[in-house]
Amino acid sequence: MSEIDAESGGDESPSSSAAAALEHVVDPVVIVADGRITYTNGAARDAFGLGTDDSDESQPGTALDGWETLETAIDETTVGTARRVELAASKYDARVHREADAATVIFQPDLEIESTKSDRVVKDRAIDEAPVGISISDPDRDDNPLVYINDAYQEITGYSYDDVVGCNCRLLQGEDSDEETIAEMAVAIDEDRPVTVEIKNYRKDGTEFWNEVTLAPVRDDDGEVTNYVGFQNDVTARKEAELALEQRTEELEYVLDRVEGLVQDVTAAVAGATDRSTLESAVCDRIAAEPAYNGVWIGERNPATERIDVRADAGDAPEGLSADDDHPAATAIRTESTATDTRDGSTIAAFPLVYNDIEYGVLAVRTATDRSIDDREAVVLSALARAIASGVNARETSRVLATDAVVAVEVDVTDTAVAPVAVSAAADCRLEYRRTVHRTGDRTASLFTAIGPDASEEALADALTDRTDLEWRVVVERDGECLLEVSGGDDPVAWLSGRGVRVQAIESENGRARLTLEIPRSADVRSVVEAIEERYDRTDVVSFRQRERDGDTREEFAVRLEEELTERQFAALQRAYLGGYFEWPRPTTGEDLAETMGVSRPTFHEHLRTAESKLCQAFFADR
């Protein structure tokens, strides 16, 4: 012990047991008596440098900072009490315990200083344990090396503290690190300003990761930059998602650009072709011109051989393909949906050519590489297939009027969704189809002659009171028969005409209608009949008969005349004829017929006279 400690055996000094206890107190403890330091514990000796041979060490004025304040406080403290004393000149505050002969002074760290120290500890711990990588560099040293990294930095990069401290942060860069981004960080450091970038960096094991780096200068009280702090955040997952989205967007834009031209050209080919074969060849050639495809072909199922015959191709068309094969083309026809398969290192995709439920074949494409056909591309090609089918349907429909080779088909229909079936099932009358007429907009109505006890407006109104889906009216009423206009329900005439089928006759009685149809012999007759059977419940095929047309048919003459007449002229002539206007005595008047057309009587007669003139010209000209 020191000489001061040796004096602790006096009355003023603590007992040996107390002294031993005070030796374990972490705060400095000093006992002062008679103006001298009579005892110090180990913490005090360490804190104030006591216990040396300095002869002045027992003098509190020499040994203790702030003694003048302490001495005054001791004098002012009542014996048997304690007082806390703030020492401005010391890093400690003091607690004075006053006894009669001595004073015990316990020195404790200044609370404000201790609080600052605690804040620093918390901040240091927060930096060390932060979930983002943190690094600090020293720009005053050569090459601005790193002087600190936290645990998260080590986890993100794989580098340890010893690996990177003393090195520049560029050690994370590699061959695919963007040079412009590196330059952007360098400029920010030169200009002493913060910067945030995303850059591809490399871990210690060489693996790549996307690093969101924020660099910021740290300044002292004078505004001078003393350090740079860096924050590293592994954003690989987000960045890869963004890059994938950008790639998909670019691919989509490419597809849309390509599709725009492809759709326009295919549409032009469909619209400009004079016949089906020309249309199919032009479409195959245009699609095959795309670098994405190696081959394109259009096939059609042959109902006689149950094979798929190639009608047009631009390379890579198969031979002898069975309709039951597992080839995508056969699958697409069977399922009426898109089918794909990978064969010989490339993808084959097939799209059914179907329009209004009529099968016209299949479009098949083969990709130029081993790439797959994604959903977007499939949607585009499916749309093109529908456009092709629509064009084929239009060509086949137009051929109905020109062809002499037809198949006459008779079918019986009992589906009450069909208007003449519904009427004959509800009313005691027989319906004979006359013609379909156009109404406002795209709506059509069919004219029937109704014959029987219920062939009157009153009887039909009673019979059809529950069929709110049908719109009907009696145009002309006679004894035992009437001219009936019907719309609504299922219109087989419009539906079949859209499939290239001409309805020659409809006769309906007792809820059963017999339809006599003409289908071009070149058309897929089987497909048409199957579509009718699928659409209408309880359909029976009565007969098939092939025949040739001779000369100019009545229908062809009527069609040519109809092309010469306006819609109003045709309606006036048709109503006049079917309403018995040309009979004598007339069962109806011009005023009655004008009312059915929604026009005045003079307007009706003007349309009728013009139509009669055109009819005579068509009949007598060039004869």
Side-chain angles (χ1 to χ4, degrees):
M1 295 183 67
S2 67
E3 293 180 2
I4 298 176
D5 296 328
E7 296 178 5
S8 61
D11 294 337
E12 302 87 353
S13 62
S15 65
S16 59
S17 58
L22 289 175
E23 287 297 309
H24 296 286
V25 174
V26 296
D27 292 327
V29 178
V30 175
I31 297 177
V32 179
D34 298 329
R36 297 177 58 252
I37 297 175
T38 60
Y39 172 81
T40 59
N41 68 351
R45 293 193 295 273
D46 293 338
F48 305 130
L50 300 175
T52 65
D53 293 333
D54 186 355
S55 58
D56 293 330
E57 65 180 1
S58 62
Q59 300 300 317
T62 303
L64 303 177
D65 294 335
W67 170 247
E68 293 181 358
T69 302
L70 269 176
E71 187 177 32
T72 301
I74 291 172
D75 292 339
E76 295 175 352
T77 301
T78 304
V79 174
T81 64
R83 171 184 294 200
R84 186 171 189 83
V85 181
E86 293 183 3
L87 302 177
S90 173
K91 66 179 181 178
Y92 294 98
D93 285 343
R95 186 175 180 84
V96 176
H97 295 262
R98 177 67 188 273
E99 298 297 334
D101 301 322
T104 302
V105 182
I106 302 174
F107 294 87
Q108 296 176 322
D110 180 88
L111 294 179
E112 183 178 353
I113 296 175
E114 184 64 23
S115 174
T116 304
K117 180 180 179 183
S118 299
D119 289 344
R120 186 179 298 114
V121 169
V122 171
K123 292 175 182 176
D124 290 345
R125 184 175 299 168
I127 292 174
D128 290 338
E129 299 178 5
V132 297
I134 299 176
S135 61
I136 299 175
S137 68
D138 185 354
D140 292 334
R141 298 174 60 186
D142 187 36
D143 201 25
N144 193 13
L146 297 175
V147 295
Y148 167 83
I149 60 171
N150 69 344
D151 293 341
Y153 183 100
Q154 300 178 58
E155 293 175 3
I156 292 172
T157 67
Y159 286 101
S160 68
Y161 186 91
D162 293 336
D163 290 330
V164 300
V165 170
C167 300
N168 187 279
C169 61
R170 72 175 67 92
L171 86 163
L172 297 179
Q173 298 168 11
E175 58 181 356
D176 287 336
S177 298
D178 184 63
E179 293 296 334
E180 292 184 3
T181 304
I182 295 172
E184 182 181 354
M185 290 189 291
V187 170
I189 291 174
D190 290 342
E191 296 176 355
D192 291 338
R193 59 176 174 82
V195 65
T196 299
V197 298
E198 291 179 356
I199 186 170
K200 183 179 288 186
N201 279 162
Y202 294 80
R203 300 183 179 91
K204 184 177 181 179
D205 61 7
T207 58
E208 301 174 349
F209 72 101
W210 280 96
N211 195 0
E212 181 185 67
V213 181
T214 297
L215 300 177
V218 179
R219 304 177 186 274
D220 59 17
D221 294 340
D222 296 328
E224 298 294 327
V225 175
T226 60
N227 297 95
Y228 278 94
V229 62
F231 300 92
Q232 289 78 26
N233 190 17
D234 186 347
V235 294
T236 303
R238 173 174 63 78
K239 191 67 175 180
E240 288 179 348
E242 291 175 355
L243 293 175
L245 179 60
E246 290 177 4
Q247 182 177 1
R248 287 195 297 270
T249 302
E250 291 176 359
E251 291 174 353
L252 179 58
E253 290 175 351
Y254 168 74
V255 168
L256 292 176
D257 290 342
R258 191 185 74 196
V259 164
E260 183 178 2
L262 181 60
V263 170
Q264 289 178 351
D265 291 348
V266 169
T267 302
V270 170
T274 57
D275 55 64
R276 178 176 179 178
S277 297
T278 302
L279 181 155
E280 292 170 335
S281 296
V283 166
C284 288
D285 290 340
R286 175 58 187 89
I287 297 177
E290 286 292 320
Y293 307 115
N294 253 351
V296 182
W297 58 276
I298 291 176
E300 182 181 35
R301 178 171 57 176
N302 187 328
T305 63
E306 284 300 321
R307 306 191 74 78
I308 298 176
D309 298 333
V310 176
R311 292 183 53 88
D313 70 280
D316 197 38
E319 296 181 2
L321 182 61
S322 170
D324 296 327
D325 198 283
D326 61 353
H327 190 281
T331 302
I333 288 180
R334 287 196 305 271
T335 63
E336 293 189 0
S337 60
T338 301
T340 59
D341 191 16
T342 301
R343 299 192 174 197
D344 301 327
S346 60
T347 299
I348 297 176
F351 306 88
L353 302 179
V354 178
Y355 184 81
N356 281 345
D357 302 324
I358 301 298
E359 172 195 312
Y360 290 109
V362 63
L363 168 70
V365 301
R366 178 187 286 273
T367 60
T369 61
D370 60 353
R371 71 177 183 86
S372 61
I373 292 180
D374 62 18
D375 293 341
R376 295 187 298 264
E377 189 174 5
V379 168
V380 171
L381 292 173
S382 294
L384 291 179
R386 288 193 295 273
I388 295 167
S390 174
V392 171
N393 171 265
R395 304 305 179 278
E396 292 296 291
T397 301
S398 64
R399 283 206 307 167
V400 174
L401 301 177
T403 184
D404 292 330
V406 297
V407 178
V409 180
E410 290 185 341
V411 295
D412 282 351
V413 176
T414 58
D415 192 334
T416 55
V418 179
V421 175
V423 174
S424 69
D428 185 8
C429 61
R430 179 170 58 87
L431 271 63
E432 296 178 357
Y433 172 67
R434 294 303 182 190
R435 196 168 184 81
T436 294
V437 297
H438 292 281
R439 299 184 68 180
T440 305
D442 295 331
R443 299 181 62 193
T444 61
S446 295
L447 292 172
F448 295 89
T449 297
I451 305 171
D454 287 348
S456 67
E457 185 168 2
E458 182 179 358
L460 288 170
D462 291 338
L464 299 175
T465 184
D466 295 331
R467 291 305 300 262
T468 57
D469 59 318
L470 297 179
E471 294 182 11
W472 62 274
R473 65 172 175 165
V474 174
V475 179
V476 177
E477 185 176 338
R478 305 176 188 173
D479 292 338
E481 69 177 69
C482 67
L483 181 63
L484 180 66
E485 182 181 279
V486 183
S487 61
D490 190 304
D491 185 358
V493 178
W495 183 75
L496 288 166
S497 65
R499 288 149 182 79
V501 180
R502 173 184 291 160
V503 178
Q504 289 290 93
I506 301 176
E507 295 182 358
S508 182
E509 189 172 10
N510 298 324
R512 176 180 292 271
R514 175 162 294 183
L515 281 64
T516 303
L517 314 175
E518 277 191 355
I519 306 173
R521 194 178 302 171
S522 59
D524 188 347
V525 177
R526 172 181 171 177
S527 178
V528 173
V529 173
E530 287 177 349
I532 295 172
E533 292 176 329
E534 183 177 350
R535 184 176 181 87
Y536 302 119
D537 294 337
R538 302 179 299 280
T539 297
D540 296 324
V541 180
V542 178
S543 66
F544 283 87
R545 185 175 67 258
Q546 295 188 6
R547 67 177 178 82
E548 299 288 334
R549 287 180 181 163
D550 296 324
D552 194 7
T553 67
R554 180 174 64 86
E555 288 77 10
E556 290 169 340
F557 176 79
V559 168
R560 287 201 303 273
L561 176 60
E562 188 173 347
E563 290 176 349
E564 294 293 327
L565 300 175
T566 67
E567 184 178 335
R568 291 289 192 179
Q569 293 165 1
F570 179 82
L573 185 63
Q574 184 183 60
R575 280 168 167 73
Y577 172 74
L578 296 176
Y581 183 77
F582 299 114
E583 300 176 9
W584 189 261
R586 290 174 176 168
T588 186
T589 66
E591 187 172 358
D592 294 334
L593 295 175
E595 185 178 350
T596 67
M597 291 179 59
V599 299
S600 66
R601 185 172 60 83
T603 301
F604 168 77
H605 283 293
E606 180 181 352
H607 290 319
L608 180 60
R609 283 194 299 271
T610 304
E612 290 172 337
S613 174
K614 290 183 178 180
L615 173 62
C616 291
Q617 183 179 3
F619 187 81
F620 293 114
D622 300 325
R623 286 180 181 265

